[in-house]
Amino acid sequence: QWISGALERGHKFVYICLNNEAYMNTGIQRSGATPLGASTTTSPDGEVLPGKMQWRKPFTRIMAAHDIPYVAQTSPHNYRDLMTKVKKAFAADGPAVLNILAPCPRGWRHEADQGLNIAELAADTCYWPLYEVENGKTRVTYKPRNKQPVAEWMKTQGRFRHLFRPANQGLLQEIQDKIDQEWERLLREEEYSL
């Protein structure tokens, strides 16, 4: 759509996506950014389906595929990483994109004072890796010393509560396997960029 065209034309601007992983302002509907298994008003968990049945869209990778000067994924819990990437985005010689995790207490069903802790756990589980693609070179800006299982992050949010029922254990494992696969892919991309 418009953003792809603007990136392809090389317009000098910074696009900031505050990614709350759903259409929160209009009633918490699923979107392409909604993760597999999440319960929303348009992908509710129940007897027929265990929440959203599709994997989330890889927004940061899609933006990087436009071969623009700067693309980064970051989180508000790591303010130094966030501010460094904001400065790089505004200094880029051409279009830049920032994909920033934005926990939503109402839509994610967590206590409001837990947003930064949940954002940090997203990075520690590699659900939301912190990285940048600068002039085609990938660099991971945070590598957890003790990578946590993604279930630890999911337990903090009511939108995933149903996944902890015995009938959904297979889906939890599928999600963990996909997170591990994406993390390894990102590390390989960084290695090839050196």
Side-chain angles (χ1 to χ4, degrees):
Q1 293 197 9
W2 74 267
I3 190 169
S4 183
L7 297 176
E8 182 267 329
R9 288 187 298 273
H11 295 296
K12 187 170 173 49
F13 71 104
V14 177
Y15 181 82
I16 299 174
C17 175
L18 299 177
N19 195 331
N20 57 29
E21 300 190 318
Y23 297 119
M24 297 300 181
N25 290 343
T26 56
I28 312 170
Q29 295 100 351
R30 72 170 305 282
S31 76
T34 304
L36 175 68
S39 182
T40 71
T41 58
T42 54
S43 63
D45 68 284
E47 292 180 20
V48 177
L49 297 173
K52 185 181 176 215
M53 295 305 300
Q54 299 79 25
W55 192 253
R56 64 185 171 166
K57 182 189 305 185
F59 179 76
T60 306
R61 283 199 347 252
I62 291 169
M63 296 298 101
H66 288 80
D67 291 326
I68 60 175
Y70 192 74
V71 178
Q73 184 163 292
T74 188
S75 169
H77 84 278
N78 189 328
Y79 71 91
R80 286 187 177 148
D81 183 77
L82 174 61
M83 293 313 301
T84 297
K85 289 173 178 171
V86 168
K87 288 177 184 176
K88 285 184 172 187
F90 279 93
D93 187 23
V97 175
L98 295 168
N99 190 14
I100 305 171
L101 186 64
C104 177
R106 176 91 168 92
W108 291 15
R109 297 184 219 139
H110 67 76
E111 294 298 320
D113 66 350
Q114 292 302 303
L116 290 180
N117 294 332
I118 290 170
E120 183 175 15
L121 198 49
D124 285 340
T125 60
C126 298
Y127 171 81
W128 191 264
L130 307 184
Y131 72 101
E132 62 188 4
V133 182
E134 188 171 11
N135 297 315
K137 294 186 183 279
T138 300
R139 185 172 76 89
V140 179
T141 58
Y142 173 72
K143 296 176 184 172
R145 288 187 180 133
N146 183 24
K147 183 174 175 268
Q148 307 266 341
V150 73
E152 294 304 310
W153 175 73
M154 298 173 98
K155 284 178 191 175
T156 65
Q157 302 158 64
R159 65 181 177 156
F160 296 118
R161 186 174 298 124
H162 59 285
L163 295 181
F164 294 92
R165 297 180 195 136
N168 292 324
Q169 288 301 306
L171 190 54
L172 271 179
Q173 187 58 53
E174 180 182 339
I175 293 167
Q176 182 64 62
D177 292 345
K178 181 72 171 175
I179 296 298
D180 292 343
Q181 179 185 44
E182 286 190 345
W183 177 243
E184 291 301 320
R185 174 184 177 161
L186 182 60
L187 293 176
R188 284 193 306 273
E189 287 174 4
E190 179 184 46
E191 184 181 334
Y192 296 144
S193 291
L194 299 176

